[in-house]
Amino acid sequence: MLAYMEQLRKRSDVINTTTISTKKKFTSLETQIQQLMASLPENMRKRDWSMSDLIVRLNGRFLDRPHAQQVGTALRQLGWVQFLDYSSTGRGGRFWQHP
């Protein structure tokens, strides 16, 4: 019984060390947004961005995608401006403009 417990303990130690080493390091949302904009061509950079467009392209700290509130805070810190588009194409949606 003790040998079996020791074997399980060793196996769990191996699993724990591999999961710790495979975790990606989180980069801040501000940095991710700046890198995203730097990687895009000029015409894509200057277009109006919806929150869902941005969230799909960013990584979260704990989940795959960041929360919209965190993305909005990061965008405001970077000088982005939020506005409502009441035109027929915008249909009253909220958009963000790159400074």
Short mmCIF file of all heavy atoms in Angstrom, two decimals, residues 15-77:
data_model
loop_
_atom_site.label_atom_id
_atom_site.label_comp_id
_atom_site.label_asym_id
_atom_site.label_seq_id
_atom_site.Cartn_x
_atom_site.Cartn_y
_atom_site.Cartn_z
N ILE A 15 3.22 15.39 -13.17
CA ILE A 15 2.12 16.11 -13.83
C ILE A 15 2.12 17.57 -13.42
O ILE A 15 1.95 18.47 -14.24
CB ILE A 15 0.77 15.43 -13.52
CG1 ILE A 15 0.70 14.07 -14.21
CG2 ILE A 15 -0.39 16.32 -13.95
CD1 ILE A 15 -0.48 13.24 -13.81
N ASN A 16 2.33 17.84 -12.13
CA ASN A 16 2.33 19.22 -11.65
C ASN A 16 3.47 20.03 -12.25
O ASN A 16 3.31 21.19 -12.60
CB ASN A 16 2.41 19.25 -10.13
CG ASN A 16 1.11 18.83 -9.48
OD1 ASN A 16 0.07 18.87 -10.10
ND2 ASN A 16 1.19 18.43 -8.23
N THR A 17 4.64 19.45 -12.37
CA THR A 17 5.78 20.19 -12.93
C THR A 17 5.58 20.45 -14.41
O THR A 17 5.99 21.50 -14.91
CB THR A 17 7.11 19.45 -12.70
OG1 THR A 17 7.01 18.14 -13.25
CG2 THR A 17 7.45 19.39 -11.23
N THR A 18 4.97 19.53 -15.13
CA THR A 18 4.76 19.77 -16.56
C THR A 18 3.68 20.82 -16.80
O THR A 18 3.79 21.63 -17.71
CB THR A 18 4.37 18.48 -17.30
OG1 THR A 18 3.22 17.92 -16.70
CG2 THR A 18 5.51 17.49 -17.29
N THR A 19 2.63 20.87 -15.98
CA THR A 19 1.59 21.87 -16.18
C THR A 19 2.08 23.25 -15.79
O THR A 19 1.72 24.24 -16.42
CB THR A 19 0.32 21.54 -15.37
OG1 THR A 19 0.65 21.39 -14.00
CG2 THR A 19 -0.34 20.29 -15.89
N ILE A 20 2.92 23.34 -14.79
CA ILE A 20 3.47 24.64 -14.39
C ILE A 20 4.39 25.18 -15.48
O ILE A 20 4.36 26.36 -15.81
CB ILE A 20 4.20 24.53 -13.04
CG1 ILE A 20 3.18 24.30 -11.92
CG2 ILE A 20 5.02 25.78 -12.76
CD1 ILE A 20 3.80 23.98 -10.58
N SER A 21 5.18 24.33 -16.07
CA SER A 21 6.14 24.79 -17.07
C SER A 21 5.48 25.11 -18.41
O SER A 21 6.05 25.85 -19.21
CB SER A 21 7.24 23.76 -17.26
OG SER A 21 6.69 22.56 -17.76
N THR A 22 4.30 24.57 -18.68
CA THR A 22 3.65 24.81 -19.97
C THR A 22 2.73 26.03 -19.96
O THR A 22 2.23 26.40 -21.00
CB THR A 22 2.83 23.59 -20.42
OG1 THR A 22 1.85 23.30 -19.42
CG2 THR A 22 3.72 22.39 -20.66
N LYS A 23 2.51 26.66 -18.82
CA LYS A 23 1.66 27.84 -18.76
C LYS A 23 2.34 29.00 -19.48
O LYS A 23 3.53 29.22 -19.33
CB LYS A 23 1.36 28.24 -17.32
CG LYS A 23 0.36 27.34 -16.65
CD LYS A 23 -0.01 27.87 -15.29
CE LYS A 23 -1.01 26.97 -14.63
NZ LYS A 23 -1.37 27.45 -13.30
N LYS A 24 1.54 29.74 -20.27
CA LYS A 24 2.08 30.89 -20.98
C LYS A 24 2.15 32.08 -20.04
O LYS A 24 1.31 32.24 -19.17
CB LYS A 24 1.20 31.23 -22.16
CG LYS A 24 1.20 30.20 -23.25
CD LYS A 24 0.42 30.68 -24.44
CE LYS A 24 -1.05 30.61 -24.18
NZ LYS A 24 -1.88 30.96 -25.32
N LYS A 25 3.14 32.92 -20.27
CA LYS A 25 3.25 34.13 -19.49
C LYS A 25 2.26 35.15 -20.03
O LYS A 25 2.16 35.34 -21.24
CB LYS A 25 4.66 34.68 -19.56
CG LYS A 25 4.88 35.83 -18.64
CD LYS A 25 6.31 36.26 -18.61
CE LYS A 25 6.43 37.31 -17.54
NZ LYS A 25 7.14 38.46 -17.93
N PHE A 26 1.53 35.80 -19.16
CA PHE A 26 0.51 36.76 -19.56
C PHE A 26 1.16 38.10 -19.88
O PHE A 26 1.97 38.60 -19.13
CB PHE A 26 -0.51 36.94 -18.44
CG PHE A 26 -1.53 38.00 -18.74
CD1 PHE A 26 -2.53 37.77 -19.67
CD2 PHE A 26 -1.49 39.23 -18.11
CE1 PHE A 26 -3.47 38.74 -19.95
CE2 PHE A 26 -2.43 40.19 -18.38
CZ PHE A 26 -3.41 39.95 -19.30
N THR A 27 0.80 38.66 -21.02
CA THR A 27 1.21 40.03 -21.35
C THR A 27 0.00 40.92 -21.17
O THR A 27 -1.13 40.52 -21.43
CB THR A 27 1.73 40.13 -22.80
OG1 THR A 27 0.71 39.65 -23.68
CG2 THR A 27 2.98 39.30 -22.99
N SER A 28 0.23 42.14 -20.74
CA SER A 28 -0.88 43.03 -20.43
C SER A 28 -1.71 43.32 -21.67
O SER A 28 -1.23 43.22 -22.81
CB SER A 28 -0.34 44.34 -19.84
OG SER A 28 0.34 45.06 -20.84
N LEU A 29 -2.94 43.70 -21.45
CA LEU A 29 -3.84 43.99 -22.57
C LEU A 29 -3.35 45.20 -23.35
O LEU A 29 -3.48 45.24 -24.58
CB LEU A 29 -5.26 44.22 -22.06
CG LEU A 29 -5.99 42.98 -21.57
CD1 LEU A 29 -7.35 43.36 -20.99
CD2 LEU A 29 -6.16 41.99 -22.69
N GLU A 30 -2.77 46.18 -22.66
CA GLU A 30 -2.24 47.35 -23.36
C GLU A 30 -1.16 46.93 -24.35
O GLU A 30 -1.15 47.37 -25.50
CB GLU A 30 -1.67 48.37 -22.37
CG GLU A 30 -2.71 49.06 -21.52
CD GLU A 30 -3.02 48.29 -20.24
OE1 GLU A 30 -2.47 47.19 -20.04
OE2 GLU A 30 -3.83 48.79 -19.46
N THR A 31 -0.27 46.05 -23.91
CA THR A 31 0.80 45.57 -24.78
C THR A 31 0.24 44.75 -25.93
O THR A 31 0.68 44.89 -27.07
CB THR A 31 1.79 44.71 -23.96
OG1 THR A 31 2.25 45.47 -22.85
CG2 THR A 31 2.97 44.27 -24.81
N GLN A 32 -0.74 43.90 -25.64
CA GLN A 32 -1.36 43.09 -26.69
C GLN A 32 -2.03 43.97 -27.75
O GLN A 32 -1.92 43.70 -28.96
CB GLN A 32 -2.38 42.13 -26.10
CG GLN A 32 -1.80 41.01 -25.29
CD GLN A 32 -2.88 40.09 -24.77
OE1 GLN A 32 -3.80 39.73 -25.50
NE2 GLN A 32 -2.78 39.72 -23.51
N ILE A 33 -2.71 45.03 -27.31
CA ILE A 33 -3.39 45.92 -28.25
C ILE A 33 -2.36 46.66 -29.10
O ILE A 33 -2.52 46.79 -30.32
CB ILE A 33 -4.31 46.89 -27.49
CG1 ILE A 33 -5.47 46.13 -26.86
CG2 ILE A 33 -4.84 47.99 -28.42
CD1 ILE A 33 -6.28 46.92 -25.85
N GLN A 34 -1.29 47.14 -28.48
CA GLN A 34 -0.24 47.83 -29.24
C GLN A 34 0.41 46.90 -30.25
O GLN A 34 0.67 47.30 -31.39
CB GLN A 34 0.81 48.40 -28.28
CG GLN A 34 0.30 49.57 -27.47
CD GLN A 34 1.26 49.99 -26.38
OE1 GLN A 34 2.15 49.23 -25.99
NE2 GLN A 34 1.09 51.21 -25.89
N GLN A 35 0.67 45.66 -29.87
CA GLN A 35 1.26 44.70 -30.80
C GLN A 35 0.30 44.37 -31.93
O GLN A 35 0.71 44.23 -33.08
CB GLN A 35 1.67 43.43 -30.06
CG GLN A 35 2.85 43.60 -29.14
CD GLN A 35 3.12 42.36 -28.29
OE1 GLN A 35 2.32 41.43 -28.26
NE2 GLN A 35 4.24 42.37 -27.59
N LEU A 36 -0.99 44.26 -31.61
CA LEU A 36 -1.99 43.98 -32.63
C LEU A 36 -2.04 45.11 -33.66
O LEU A 36 -2.02 44.87 -34.87
CB LEU A 36 -3.36 43.79 -31.99
CG LEU A 36 -4.54 43.68 -32.95
CD1 LEU A 36 -4.44 42.41 -33.79
CD2 LEU A 36 -5.85 43.72 -32.18
N MET A 37 -2.08 46.34 -33.19
CA MET A 37 -2.15 47.47 -34.10
C MET A 37 -0.87 47.62 -34.92
O MET A 37 -0.92 48.00 -36.09
CB MET A 37 -2.43 48.77 -33.32
CG MET A 37 -3.81 48.83 -32.74
SD MET A 37 -5.08 48.72 -34.01
CE MET A 37 -6.13 47.48 -33.34
N ALA A 38 0.27 47.29 -34.35
CA ALA A 38 1.53 47.37 -35.08
C ALA A 38 1.61 46.31 -36.17
O ALA A 38 2.28 46.51 -37.19
CB ALA A 38 2.70 47.23 -34.12
N SER A 39 0.93 45.19 -35.98
CA SER A 39 1.00 44.10 -36.94
C SER A 39 0.02 44.25 -38.10
O SER A 39 0.11 43.54 -39.08
CB SER A 39 0.75 42.76 -36.24
OG SER A 39 -0.60 42.68 -35.81
N LEU A 40 -0.93 45.20 -37.97
CA LEU A 40 -1.95 45.37 -39.00
C LEU A 40 -1.54 46.44 -40.01
O LEU A 40 -0.82 47.38 -39.67
CB LEU A 40 -3.28 45.77 -38.35
CG LEU A 40 -3.93 44.74 -37.46
CD1 LEU A 40 -5.14 45.33 -36.78
CD2 LEU A 40 -4.31 43.50 -38.24
N PRO A 41 -2.03 46.35 -41.24
CA PRO A 41 -1.78 47.42 -42.21
C PRO A 41 -2.54 48.69 -41.82
O PRO A 41 -3.47 48.66 -41.01
CB PRO A 41 -2.31 46.85 -43.53
CG PRO A 41 -3.14 45.68 -43.18
CD PRO A 41 -2.74 45.22 -41.82
N GLU A 42 -2.14 49.80 -42.42
CA GLU A 42 -2.68 51.12 -42.06
C GLU A 42 -4.20 51.21 -42.21
O GLU A 42 -4.88 51.76 -41.35
CB GLU A 42 -2.01 52.19 -42.92
CG GLU A 42 -2.40 53.60 -42.56
CD GLU A 42 -1.85 54.05 -41.22
OE1 GLU A 42 -0.84 53.51 -40.76
OE2 GLU A 42 -2.46 54.96 -40.63
N ASN A 43 -4.75 50.67 -43.30
CA ASN A 43 -6.20 50.78 -43.51
C ASN A 43 -6.99 49.99 -42.46
O ASN A 43 -8.10 50.37 -42.10
CB ASN A 43 -6.59 50.35 -44.92
CG ASN A 43 -6.22 48.91 -45.20
OD1 ASN A 43 -5.48 48.28 -44.45
ND2 ASN A 43 -6.71 48.38 -46.30
N MET A 44 -6.45 48.89 -41.95
CA MET A 44 -7.11 48.13 -40.89
C MET A 44 -6.99 48.87 -39.55
O MET A 44 -7.89 48.83 -38.72
CB MET A 44 -6.50 46.74 -40.75
CG MET A 44 -6.83 45.80 -41.87
SD MET A 44 -8.51 45.20 -41.77
CE MET A 44 -8.43 44.18 -40.32
N ARG A 45 -5.87 49.52 -39.33
CA ARG A 45 -5.63 50.24 -38.08
C ARG A 45 -6.58 51.41 -37.91
O ARG A 45 -7.04 51.69 -36.80
CB ARG A 45 -4.19 50.75 -38.07
CG ARG A 45 -3.46 50.46 -36.81
CD ARG A 45 -2.05 50.94 -36.86
NE ARG A 45 -1.27 50.11 -37.77
CZ ARG A 45 -0.25 50.54 -38.49
NH1 ARG A 45 0.14 51.78 -38.41
NH2 ARG A 45 0.40 49.72 -39.28
N LYS A 46 -6.89 52.09 -39.00
CA LYS A 46 -7.70 53.31 -38.93
C LYS A 46 -9.20 53.06 -38.96
O LYS A 46 -9.98 53.99 -38.83
CB LYS A 46 -7.32 54.24 -40.09
CG LYS A 46 -5.93 54.80 -39.97
CD LYS A 46 -5.79 55.62 -38.72
CE LYS A 46 -4.37 56.14 -38.56
NZ LYS A 46 -4.18 56.80 -37.28
N ARG A 47 -9.62 51.83 -39.11
CA ARG A 47 -11.06 51.56 -39.14
C ARG A 47 -11.63 51.61 -37.72
O ARG A 47 -10.89 51.59 -36.74
CB ARG A 47 -11.34 50.21 -39.79
CG ARG A 47 -11.05 49.01 -38.91
CD ARG A 47 -11.43 47.73 -39.64
NE ARG A 47 -11.27 46.56 -38.82
CZ ARG A 47 -12.25 46.00 -38.13
NH1 ARG A 47 -13.46 46.49 -38.16
NH2 ARG A 47 -12.03 44.91 -37.41
N ASP A 48 -12.94 51.66 -37.62
CA ASP A 48 -13.61 51.64 -36.31
C ASP A 48 -13.71 50.19 -35.84
O ASP A 48 -14.09 49.31 -36.60
CB ASP A 48 -15.00 52.25 -36.42
CG ASP A 48 -14.94 53.70 -36.88
OD1 ASP A 48 -13.91 54.35 -36.63
OD2 ASP A 48 -15.91 54.16 -37.49
N TRP A 49 -13.40 49.97 -34.58
CA TRP A 49 -13.36 48.61 -34.01
C TRP A 49 -14.50 48.43 -33.03
O TRP A 49 -14.73 49.26 -32.17
CB TRP A 49 -12.04 48.40 -33.26
CG TRP A 49 -10.85 48.33 -34.15
CD1 TRP A 49 -10.13 49.36 -34.64
CD2 TRP A 49 -10.25 47.14 -34.65
NE1 TRP A 49 -9.11 48.90 -35.42
CE2 TRP A 49 -9.17 47.53 -35.44
CE3 TRP A 49 -10.53 45.79 -34.51
CZ2 TRP A 49 -8.35 46.61 -36.09
CZ3 TRP A 49 -9.71 44.88 -35.15
CH2 TRP A 49 -8.64 45.29 -35.93
N SER A 50 -15.20 47.32 -33.15
CA SER A 50 -16.20 46.97 -32.13
C SER A 50 -15.48 46.16 -31.03
O SER A 50 -14.40 45.63 -31.25
CB SER A 50 -17.33 46.14 -32.74
OG SER A 50 -16.87 44.86 -33.10
N MET A 51 -16.11 46.10 -29.90
CA MET A 51 -15.50 45.38 -28.77
C MET A 51 -15.33 43.90 -29.10
O MET A 51 -14.31 43.30 -28.78
CB MET A 51 -16.37 45.55 -27.52
CG MET A 51 -15.78 44.92 -26.28
SD MET A 51 -14.19 45.59 -25.77
CE MET A 51 -14.67 47.16 -25.13
N SER A 52 -16.30 43.32 -29.78
CA SER A 52 -16.20 41.89 -30.12
C SER A 52 -15.06 41.63 -31.10
O SER A 52 -14.41 40.59 -31.04
CB SER A 52 -17.52 41.38 -30.67
OG SER A 52 -17.88 42.09 -31.82
N ASP A 53 -14.79 42.59 -32.02
CA ASP A 53 -13.65 42.44 -32.93
C ASP A 53 -12.33 42.39 -32.17
O ASP A 53 -11.42 41.64 -32.52
CB ASP A 53 -13.59 43.61 -33.92
CG ASP A 53 -14.71 43.57 -34.94
OD1 ASP A 53 -15.31 42.50 -35.12
OD2 ASP A 53 -14.97 44.62 -35.54
N LEU A 54 -12.22 43.21 -31.14
CA LEU A 54 -10.98 43.26 -30.37
C LEU A 54 -10.83 42.05 -29.45
O LEU A 54 -9.74 41.49 -29.33
CB LEU A 54 -10.93 44.56 -29.55
CG LEU A 54 -10.70 45.82 -30.37
CD1 LEU A 54 -10.98 47.05 -29.54
CD2 LEU A 54 -9.29 45.84 -30.92
N ILE A 55 -11.91 41.66 -28.79
CA ILE A 55 -11.83 40.56 -27.82
C ILE A 55 -11.37 39.27 -28.50
O ILE A 55 -10.60 38.51 -27.93
CB ILE A 55 -13.18 40.39 -27.10
CG1 ILE A 55 -13.40 41.53 -26.13
CG2 ILE A 55 -13.24 39.06 -26.36
CD1 ILE A 55 -14.74 41.52 -25.44
N VAL A 56 -11.83 39.04 -29.71
CA VAL A 56 -11.46 37.82 -30.44
C VAL A 56 -9.95 37.75 -30.68
O VAL A 56 -9.36 36.68 -30.69
CB VAL A 56 -12.23 37.75 -31.77
CG1 VAL A 56 -11.71 36.66 -32.67
CG2 VAL A 56 -13.70 37.56 -31.51
N ARG A 57 -9.31 38.91 -30.81
CA ARG A 57 -7.89 38.95 -31.14
C ARG A 57 -6.97 39.04 -29.93
O ARG A 57 -5.75 39.09 -30.08
CB ARG A 57 -7.63 40.13 -32.06
CG ARG A 57 -8.25 39.96 -33.43
CD ARG A 57 -8.13 41.23 -34.26
NE ARG A 57 -8.49 41.02 -35.64
CZ ARG A 57 -9.73 41.11 -36.12
NH1 ARG A 57 -10.72 41.38 -35.29
NH2 ARG A 57 -9.98 40.91 -37.39
N LEU A 58 -7.53 39.09 -28.72
CA LEU A 58 -6.71 39.24 -27.50
C LEU A 58 -6.81 38.00 -26.62
O LEU A 58 -7.74 37.22 -26.72
CB LEU A 58 -7.19 40.47 -26.71
CG LEU A 58 -7.12 41.80 -27.46
CD1 LEU A 58 -7.78 42.89 -26.64
CD2 LEU A 58 -5.70 42.16 -27.80
N ASN A 59 -5.83 37.85 -25.73
CA ASN A 59 -5.78 36.73 -24.79
C ASN A 59 -6.04 37.24 -23.38
O ASN A 59 -5.52 38.28 -22.99
CB ASN A 59 -4.42 36.04 -24.83
CG ASN A 59 -4.14 35.43 -26.17
OD1 ASN A 59 -5.02 34.84 -26.77
ND2 ASN A 59 -2.92 35.58 -26.64
N GLY A 60 -6.81 36.47 -22.62
CA GLY A 60 -7.10 36.83 -21.24
C GLY A 60 -6.06 36.29 -20.28
O GLY A 60 -5.23 35.45 -20.64
N ARG A 61 -6.12 36.76 -19.07
CA ARG A 61 -5.18 36.30 -18.05
C ARG A 61 -5.54 34.91 -17.55
O ARG A 61 -4.69 34.04 -17.44
CB ARG A 61 -5.18 37.27 -16.88
CG ARG A 61 -4.25 36.82 -15.75
CD ARG A 61 -4.15 37.86 -14.70
NE ARG A 61 -3.48 39.01 -15.28
CZ ARG A 61 -2.81 39.89 -14.58
NH1 ARG A 61 -2.74 39.80 -13.30
NH2 ARG A 61 -2.23 40.90 -15.17
N PHE A 62 -6.81 34.68 -17.27
CA PHE A 62 -7.24 33.40 -16.71
C PHE A 62 -8.01 32.55 -17.70
O PHE A 62 -7.97 31.33 -17.63
CB PHE A 62 -8.09 33.63 -15.46
CG PHE A 62 -7.36 34.42 -14.40
CD1 PHE A 62 -7.74 35.71 -14.10
CD2 PHE A 62 -6.28 33.88 -13.73
CE1 PHE A 62 -7.08 36.45 -13.14
CE2 PHE A 62 -5.61 34.61 -12.77
CZ PHE A 62 -6.00 35.89 -12.48
N LEU A 63 -8.74 33.18 -18.59
CA LEU A 63 -9.51 32.46 -19.60
C LEU A 63 -8.91 32.74 -20.98
O LEU A 63 -7.96 33.50 -21.11
CB LEU A 63 -10.97 32.92 -19.56
CG LEU A 63 -11.70 32.69 -18.24
CD1 LEU A 63 -13.08 33.29 -18.28
CD2 LEU A 63 -11.78 31.20 -17.93
N ASP A 64 -9.50 32.14 -22.00
CA ASP A 64 -8.98 32.33 -23.35
C ASP A 64 -9.14 33.77 -23.83
O ASP A 64 -8.28 34.30 -24.52
CB ASP A 64 -9.69 31.40 -24.34
CG ASP A 64 -9.27 29.95 -24.15
OD1 ASP A 64 -8.20 29.72 -23.57
OD2 ASP A 64 -10.04 29.07 -24.57
N ARG A 65 -10.23 34.40 -23.46
CA ARG A 65 -10.52 35.76 -23.92
C ARG A 65 -10.70 36.68 -22.72
O ARG A 65 -11.23 36.29 -21.69
CB ARG A 65 -11.79 35.78 -24.76
CG ARG A 65 -11.73 34.89 -25.97
CD ARG A 65 -10.80 35.48 -27.01
NE ARG A 65 -10.54 34.52 -28.06
CZ ARG A 65 -9.33 34.17 -28.46
NH1 ARG A 65 -8.28 34.67 -27.91
NH2 ARG A 65 -9.18 33.29 -29.43
N PRO A 66 -10.29 37.94 -22.84
CA PRO A 66 -10.45 38.89 -21.73
C PRO A 66 -11.88 39.39 -21.63
O PRO A 66 -12.66 39.30 -22.58
CB PRO A 66 -9.50 40.02 -22.10
CG PRO A 66 -9.44 39.99 -23.58
CD PRO A 66 -9.56 38.53 -23.96
N HIS A 67 -12.23 39.93 -20.48
CA HIS A 67 -13.55 40.51 -20.26
C HIS A 67 -13.60 41.88 -20.95
O HIS A 67 -12.60 42.59 -21.03
CB HIS A 67 -13.79 40.67 -18.75
CG HIS A 67 -15.20 40.98 -18.41
ND1 HIS A 67 -15.66 42.27 -18.37
CD2 HIS A 67 -16.24 40.17 -18.13
CE1 HIS A 67 -16.95 42.25 -18.05
NE2 HIS A 67 -17.33 40.99 -17.90
N ALA A 68 -14.78 42.23 -21.44
CA ALA A 68 -14.94 43.49 -22.17
C ALA A 68 -14.59 44.70 -21.31
O ALA A 68 -14.04 45.69 -21.81
CB ALA A 68 -16.37 43.60 -22.68
N GLN A 69 -14.87 44.64 -20.03
CA GLN A 69 -14.55 45.76 -19.13
C GLN A 69 -13.04 45.98 -19.06
O GLN A 69 -12.57 47.12 -19.09
CB GLN A 69 -15.10 45.49 -17.74
CG GLN A 69 -14.79 46.60 -16.76
CD GLN A 69 -15.32 46.29 -15.37
OE1 GLN A 69 -15.81 45.19 -15.11
NE2 GLN A 69 -15.22 47.24 -14.47
N GLN A 70 -12.27 44.90 -19.00
CA GLN A 70 -10.81 45.02 -18.96
C GLN A 70 -10.26 45.57 -20.27
O GLN A 70 -9.34 46.39 -20.28
CB GLN A 70 -10.18 43.67 -18.66
CG GLN A 70 -10.55 43.12 -17.30
CD GLN A 70 -10.17 41.67 -17.14
OE1 GLN A 70 -9.92 40.96 -18.12
NE2 GLN A 70 -10.12 41.21 -15.90
N VAL A 71 -10.85 45.15 -21.38
CA VAL A 71 -10.42 45.65 -22.69
C VAL A 71 -10.75 47.14 -22.81
O VAL A 71 -9.94 47.94 -23.28
CB VAL A 71 -11.07 44.85 -23.83
CG1 VAL A 71 -10.71 45.44 -25.18
CG2 VAL A 71 -10.63 43.39 -23.76
N GLY A 72 -11.94 47.54 -22.36
CA GLY A 72 -12.34 48.94 -22.40
C GLY A 72 -11.42 49.82 -21.58
O GLY A 72 -11.03 50.92 -22.00
N THR A 73 -11.04 49.35 -20.40
CA THR A 73 -10.11 50.10 -19.55
C THR A 73 -8.76 50.25 -20.23
O THR A 73 -8.16 51.34 -20.23
CB THR A 73 -9.95 49.39 -18.19
OG1 THR A 73 -11.23 49.25 -17.58
CG2 THR A 73 -9.02 50.15 -17.28
N ALA A 74 -8.27 49.18 -20.83
CA ALA A 74 -6.98 49.23 -21.53
C ALA A 74 -7.04 50.18 -22.72
O ALA A 74 -6.10 50.94 -22.97
CB ALA A 74 -6.57 47.83 -21.97
N LEU A 75 -8.16 50.16 -23.46
CA LEU A 75 -8.29 51.06 -24.61
C LEU A 75 -8.30 52.52 -24.18
O LEU A 75 -7.68 53.37 -24.81
CB LEU A 75 -9.57 50.73 -25.39
CG LEU A 75 -9.57 49.40 -26.15
CD1 LEU A 75 -10.96 49.11 -26.69
CD2 LEU A 75 -8.55 49.40 -27.25
N ARG A 76 -9.00 52.83 -23.09
CA ARG A 76 -9.03 54.21 -22.60
C ARG A 76 -7.64 54.66 -22.16
O ARG A 76 -7.25 55.81 -22.38
CB ARG A 76 -10.01 54.34 -21.44
CG ARG A 76 -11.44 54.39 -21.89
CD ARG A 76 -12.39 54.69 -20.74
NE ARG A 76 -13.74 54.37 -21.15
CZ ARG A 76 -14.32 53.19 -20.96
NH1 ARG A 76 -13.69 52.23 -20.35
NH2 ARG A 76 -15.55 52.99 -21.38
N GLN A 77 -6.89 53.76 -21.52
CA GLN A 77 -5.53 54.12 -21.10
C GLN A 77 -4.62 54.39 -22.29
O GLN A 77 -3.67 55.16 -22.19
CB GLN A 77 -4.94 53.01 -20.23
CG GLN A 77 -5.57 52.92 -18.87
CD GLN A 77 -5.05 51.75 -18.05
OE1 GLN A 77 -4.31 50.91 -18.54
NE2 GLN A 77 -5.43 51.71 -16.79
#
